[in-house]
Each structure stands twice: as C-alpha cells, then as structure tokens.
Amino acid sequence: MANVDNLTNEIMRQLRMYEQDVREKVEISKEEVSKELVSQLKQNPSPKLTGDYRKGWKAKRVGNKFIIHNATEYRLTHLLENGHAKVGGGRVEAIPHIRPAEQEAIDEFIRQIERAIDG
C-alpha cells in the first residue's frame, strides 16, 4: 500500500510542477504577444497623418490581462477601422488595421500556448 501512496504522491507532485510551468509560460506569452501586437500596430497598418495615432498604441496590464489601446487618439480607432459618415454626406472608407493585427496576435498566442502545453 505504501508504494501506491508514494506513486500517487509523485504523480500529484509532477502534475503540480507541470501546471506551474504552463502557467509561467502562459504569462510570458501574454506579455510577448501584447508587446508584439503594439509594435505591429505602430508600424505599417495604422494610418499616419501626423503620427500621433500610430505612436499612441499601448499595452496595459489590468489584473491578469493585457489591454491594447490607443492612448492618444482613442476616439479614432473605430472610425478608422470601420469607416464613417461624412458631415456633408457620403462615407469615409474603412481602413482595417486593428482586426487583422488582432487575429495575427490571437493565432500566435494559441501557437505559444500549444507549445507550452506540449512541454
């Protein structure tokens, strides 16, 4: 019976170590992917008139999450991403730059988590 108890204890110890390892890798992945997304948004996809919009992208840790936002021109994000009506009539065409970068970040995060789980 002692051997079964020892085996059970060892399996539980290994599972706790594995869980801790995966948790650490998930935290590292969250930070890396968030930083990469901000870097990507600051480069090509973001529209550039004065440069303030591009420079405004930030990653902010809130609890155990990262929030990506535009700190300088936050009012423009949905207008540029989705397009909008003009004052005198007509529409300004959308410049999709957030959604494609977001999807790329999601895909990369999933790849990193899968690698962390596989060990």
Side-chain angles (χ1 to χ4, degrees):
M1 190 66 169
N3 287 339
V4 172
D5 289 339
N6 288 342
L7 179 60
T8 301
N9 289 338
E10 182 60 24
I11 290 172
M12 292 304 294
R13 188 176 76 76
Q14 291 296 325
L15 285 173
R16 281 191 294 275
M17 286 173 41
Y18 172 73
E19 175 193 19
Q20 184 60 33
D21 183 49
V22 170
R23 282 180 189 261
E24 288 171 5
K25 289 178 180 176
V26 167
E27 288 303 313
I28 290 168
S29 294
K30 280 195 276 188
E31 189 167 350
E32 285 177 0
V33 170
S34 296
K35 286 180 180 178
E36 180 58 33
L37 177 55
V38 167
S39 175
Q40 187 177 357
L41 286 168
K42 284 183 174 182
Q43 292 174 6
N44 296 335
S46 289
K48 180 182 178 186
L49 184 59
T50 65
D52 290 342
Y53 181 73
R54 278 189 181 186
K55 293 175 192 171
W57 290 108
K58 307 282 183 222
K60 178 179 166 183
R61 182 182 271 280
V62 177
N64 66 347
K65 300 175 186 176
F66 278 89
I67 295 177
I68 312 302
H69 64 105
N70 194 298
T72 56
E73 301 290 338
Y74 61 91
R75 293 176 205 86
L76 292 179
T77 57
H78 78 280
L79 296 174
L80 292 170
E81 183 74 11
N82 302 314
H84 58 89
K86 292 181 181 180
V87 173
R91 289 201 53 82
V92 173
E93 224 176 289
I95 306 171
H97 59 288
I98 300 170
R99 198 169 302 117
E102 174 191 27
Q103 189 57 53
E104 221 175 282
I106 290 169
D107 294 343
E108 177 59 24
F109 184 67
I110 290 170
R111 278 192 294 277
Q112 288 188 21
I113 298 309
E114 287 172 345
R115 281 195 303 265
I117 290 170
D118 287 342

